[in-house]
Amino acid sequence: MMSKQRTLEGETKAHMEERAKVMKALAHPSRLFIVDELSRGERSVNELTEMIGADVSTVSKHLALLKRAGVVINDRRGQQIFYRLRVPCILNFFGCVEAVIEEVGRCDVAEAS
């Protein structure tokens, strides 16, 4: 019995769009830095702003995008807003990206030989 061929429509398309939303949210050096930094613990907007070296408005926009994608959550304490990773397993993705970078580097060295 043959299985039905998958197509990019309906629930499959919606699911792939959700995946793309998360990946697009990560697709910026500052946002990658934020996620990496939040893997070490929660940080305030002010701390992240100082670390990134951008203005508060820019960092807030990055954080809002990450929040809309479901990558981070925040907690207001008085005048400060603190962010943390919603699902720390996002770091597994970082490990996979590092493996790709390492493999590509190995292939580039082998091809240059």
Side-chain angles (χ1 to χ4, degrees), residues 1 7 11 14 18 25-26 29 41 46 48 53 57 61-62 66-69 72 81 90 93 102 110 112:
M1 183 172 162
T7 59
E11 286 183 29
E18 287 300 310
L26 295 171
N46 292 338
L48 291 168
S57 172
K61 286 176 186 174
H62 286 308
L66 289 168
K67 186 176 177 183
R68 279 193 306 276
V72 301
I81 301 175
I90 193 95
F93 178 71
E102 189 176 305

Side-chain angles (χ1 to χ4, degrees), residues 5 7 13 18 21 23 31-33 35 37-38 50 60 68 76 85-86 88 90 94 99 103 106 108 110:
Q5 182 177 346
T7 59
K13 184 173 183 178
E18 287 300 310
K21 179 178 164 185
M23 294 177 118
R31 293 192 293 270
L32 287 171
F33 178 84
V35 171
E37 191 55 38
L38 294 180
E50 188 175 309
S60 292
R68 279 193 306 276
R76 181 179 288 277
L85 295 179
R86 177 181 286 245
I90 193 95
F94 279 20
E103 180 63 24
R106 260 196 296 252
D108 288 349

Side-chain angles (χ1 to χ4, degrees), residues 1-6:
M1 183 172 162
M2 283 182 62
S3 62
K4 184 180 176 208
Q5 182 177 346
R6 284 180 71 200

Side-chain angles (χ1 to χ4, degrees), residues 15-80:
H15 186 72
M16 295 303 157
E17 287 171 350
E18 287 300 310
R19 283 182 175 183
K21 179 178 164 185
V22 172
M23 294 177 118
K24 284 178 184 178
L26 295 171
H28 188 281
S30 293
R31 293 192 293 270
L32 287 171
F33 178 84
I34 289 168
V35 171
D36 191 58
E37 191 55 38
L38 294 180
S39 75
R40 294 161 171 71
E42 71 176 13
R43 298 283 183 262
S44 70
V45 173
N46 292 338
E47 288 173 308
L48 291 168
T49 298
E50 188 175 309
M51 292 170 158
I52 293 170
D55 58 89
V56 174
S57 172
T58 300
V59 173
S60 292
K61 286 176 186 174
H62 286 308
L63 288 163
L65 199 151
L66 289 168
K67 186 176 177 183
R68 279 193 306 276
V71 176
V72 301
I73 54 177
N74 66 339
D75 181 30
R76 181 179 288 277
R77 295 183 209 139
Q79 297 294 315
Q80 296 235 25

